[in-house]
Amino acid sequence: MTSTDTAAVPTGRAAADALGRVTAELSGALGAEQVITDRQRLRTYECDGLAQYKVVPGLVVLARDADDVAAAVGACARHGVPFVARGSGTGLSGGALPQAEGVLIVMSQMRQIREIDAANQRAVVDPGVINLALTRETTPDGYYFAPDPSSQSVCSIGGNVAENSGGAHCLKYGFTTNHVTGLDLVTPAGEHVEIGGKAPDPPGYDLLGALVGSEGTLGIVTEVTVRLTRLPQEVQTVLAGFRSTDDAGAATSAIIAAGVIPAAIEMMDALSIEAAEKAVACGYPAGAGAVLVVEVDGAAADVAGELAEVLRHCEANGAFETRIAADDVERALIWKGRKSAFAAVGRISPDYIVQDGVIPRTALPQVLRQIADLAAERGVRVANVFHAGDGNLHPLVLFDDAEEGAAERAEEVAGGILELCIANGGSITGEHGVGSDKARYMPKMFTEEDLDTMQAVRCAFDPDNISNPGKVFPTPRLCGERPGRRQGAHPLQEAGLAEVF
Ligand SMILES: Cc1cc2nc3c(=O)[nH]c(=O)nc-3n(C[C@H](O)[C@H](O)[C@H](O)COP(=O)(O)OP(=O)(O)OC[C@H]3O[C@@H](n4cnc5c(N)ncnc54)[C@H](O)[C@@H]3O)c2cc1C
């Protein structure tokens, strides 16, 4: 990838001048309808789903196609102006947080499903296509798009790719990365590049793997080729009530140890059940300290056996009530409580932080106890609702911003939870990404050399650090810097045979 025809990123007054030149260029090339400069309208884009971080973008470009994206990125590259891609703005880690002296390139007008190739189980879509829209379009042919974030009715497939998003059913079907076979990318130099296609597993380096989950730091995705998954013949959904999260965690481990991979195993604790009951009256078992929602799907003959195993392990681990959804209406009611849980905590707390961390599944009971101890120590309430099957926690840290110091205490608890995840062999994010929010935690998980190696990849795509800068990495690496302890120029560089970039 070349970095020719690009400028060093200016700062201060020069940055404002550079943005002015990009604005003039793009207003001329794309027209006033697609280029937003009015401050009131710019404010619409000042944050994503993590609303505590806000920056009014310097300029917003509403792209209609890949050429518009390339025009906007190309202008940024020529003038050294940073840019940020935005899908639907539902991200929970501040990934689409704009730059005050930069350009926000918005994908919401790129929403065409270009091709449905059911025979080959592929679809080709614009990046702004809403996740659920693809499933709705392919269901009549017997297919769907498997990654199912809870935000699937509003989030974009481009955003799913950038975050490697998951959802309740990723336990069996995998994350977005398992469902993308090709991408078109506009590189940070403004070039169009095609990576992969409909065929699986092309030879060479796995650039697709590097791009999925790169949070907009390697360029802007302008087209996505995805795998379509066959709708299962049979689905069975179980709701099981337990006295404690320990029991529900033990049942989860027992089900998976028995060789059953349910499509989903979701857990809610007492506080999140209370919130969901208040919000949507889901009628979960009274007095439950935890519930599991377990779904098994597939060929009818297999599902019957798996359902029996799930019930057996729930009961053996203390489930005092189990219900099997009799039809789609009952299934929807069981899922309603789980799916409403994030918003429902608004019924029991004026403010809350949604945390996202991962732990090995078998560590669930001990980590949930450690979280409870941490919360009690700091006088903060934490509701737990999460993808238990793959150990992806979503603790909701509750607080009242009107109370002095409450937000800070909640932040401390949210950070402490990530430290518990790392200490228990897990990770600081399962599916919401690092973005602006968690960059500061990266050094707790990775050494300086690890971070340098990751940034060497970024530098290969984006030597001028203009593609979503300031996200993922706590300290940006200048791409001319040498990582690690090596001192002096590399011998190949001294010999004029290679360049460090
Ligand atoms: C209520 C709620 C529930 C949620 N539940 C889940 C869940 O279950 N699982 C889950 O994984 N997430 C969940 N999320 C988080 C969020 O919906 C996902 O991360 C989603 O994939 C973001 O998509 P988006 O279109 O809103 O992206 P945005 O928020 O607009 O952007 C997210 C990141 O992607 C980059 N980006 C966007 N489009 C492109 C592109 N075309 N090319 C390159 N980079 C791009 C942005 O720069 C940014 O870094 C939830 C969010 C909410 C509000």
Side-chain angles (χ1 to χ4, degrees), residues 239-244 269-270 273-274 277 281-291 318-323:
L239 175 70
F242 296 84
R243 295 286 169 218
S244 68
D269 70 1
I273 297 169
E274 178 193 332
E277 288 295 349
C282 45
Y284 282 180
V291 293
F320 64 88
E321 184 177 333
T322 52
R323 287 182 212 159

Side-chain angles (χ1 to χ4, degrees), residues 85-92 95-96 107 127 149-151 155-156 158-160 162-163 165-166 215-216 219-221 431-432 468:
R86 178 181 168 110
S88 300
T90 66
L92 291 171
M107 303 291 134
S150 311
S151 52
C155 66
S156 72
N160 298 166
E163 298 288 2
S165 291
E215 303 194 25
I220 299 192
V221 171
E431 55 186 18
H432 295 170
N468 211 3

Side-chain angles (χ1 to χ4, degrees), residues 147 160 164-165 174-181 206 208-209 212-213 227:
N160 298 166
N164 187 21
S165 291
F175 284 68
T176 301
T177 191
N178 304 108
H179 299 272
V180 174
T181 60
D206 183 11
L208 205 55
V212 179
R227 234 180 258 285

